Amino acid sequence: MTTSTAPSWLKSIAWATLVWNLLGVIAFIMQLLMTPEMISKLPADQQAAYSNTPLWSTLAFAVAVFSGTLGCVFLLLKNAIAQVCFTLSLIAIFIQQFYNFIVINSIELLGASAVFMPLLVIIIAVLLLQLSHRGKQQGWLR
């Protein structure tokens, strides 16, 4: 492994993706805080999906957003642990999306628009993992 100076854009990317992941943390907390009254205002099929979400899917959501957030913090600190965090986050995202697209068929439930955000989440997670891998190889992350 060679040691080199991190590119100037790395800090900007790390801050932007930290904000992105913090928005994921907020979405996770908002989902946890949904009351039965709030759920009752949704269409019946969405009510069933929210009310019957298995623990493993909720845990996958938590691991995805919190490990992604930690990965961004480690990226800012130029610490190679970011790669481990981003790997965990991506695995958790795939588990969560398995529930969303296979178990409850969110496309049928919410329409084709339900694909955009999960696809964006996956793309950003893959890019962060690749960035952390490259950073380790280039010596930007120690």
Side-chain angles (χ1 to χ4, degrees), residues 32-80:
L32 284 182
L33 295 177
M34 282 190 75
T35 63
E37 180 181 286
M38 294 165 79
I39 293 171
S40 71
K41 293 179 182 174
L42 298 171
D45 48 359
Q46 290 180 29
Q47 287 181 36
Y50 270 102
S51 299
N52 299 319
T53 302
L55 179 60
W56 60 266
S57 179
T58 302
L59 290 174
F61 190 7
V63 170
V65 297
F66 287 106
S67 62
T69 300
L70 277 175
C72 291
V73 170
F74 284 122
L75 200 57
L76 279 166
L77 297 173
K78 297 179 185 163
N79 189 313

Side-chain angles (χ1 to χ4, degrees), residues 113-135:
S113 64
V115 174
F116 175 73
M117 186 56 78
L119 188 57
L120 185 60
V121 167
I122 291 168
I123 290 168
I124 290 172
V126 167
L127 291 173
L128 283 170
L129 180 56
Q130 288 177 332
L131 177 62
S132 64
H133 180 71
R134 181 174 176 210

